[in-house]
Amino acid sequence: MQRKWNVYVIREGRSQYIGEVNESREEMARCAALSRFGVGEDEIDAGEAPPRCVAIYPDDDFEVSPAA
């Protein structure tokens, strides 16, 4: 059964909401979050990375939690 998961990036000790994904389990939601919001070093080096407020950068910690 699919459910919605909120995706948060942890920066400077604070949790910042960046979006949501739909998956059945937390492990899969984490994978989906990286797939949807993750930024690679190649994108950063090419200057094509989205702003940090809407993405998960390689040095970021992030978490998912079930949406209410």
Side-chain angles (χ1 to χ4, degrees):
M1 181 171 135
Q2 295 281 317
R3 65 193 300 193
K4 288 184 181 182
W5 298 83
N6 292 323
V7 181
Y8 299 90
V9 174
I10 313 304
R11 293 197 184 106
E12 299 175 7
R14 293 188 223 161
S15 181
Q16 177 184 356
Y17 174 83
I18 60 169
E20 65 181 38
V21 294
N22 295 303
E23 277 299 337
S24 57
R25 299 186 333 251
E26 182 177 355
E27 297 83 10
M28 298 302 293
R30 288 184 61 80
C31 290
L34 281 175
S35 176
R36 182 169 180 192
F37 301 110
V39 174
E41 294 289 346
D42 55 335
E43 293 172 280
I44 295 168
D45 292 344
E48 299 172 354
R52 282 189 172 264
C53 63
V54 295
I56 301 170
Y57 275 63
D59 59 342
D60 287 334
D61 289 324
F62 75 98
E63 60 187 30
V64 297
S65 64

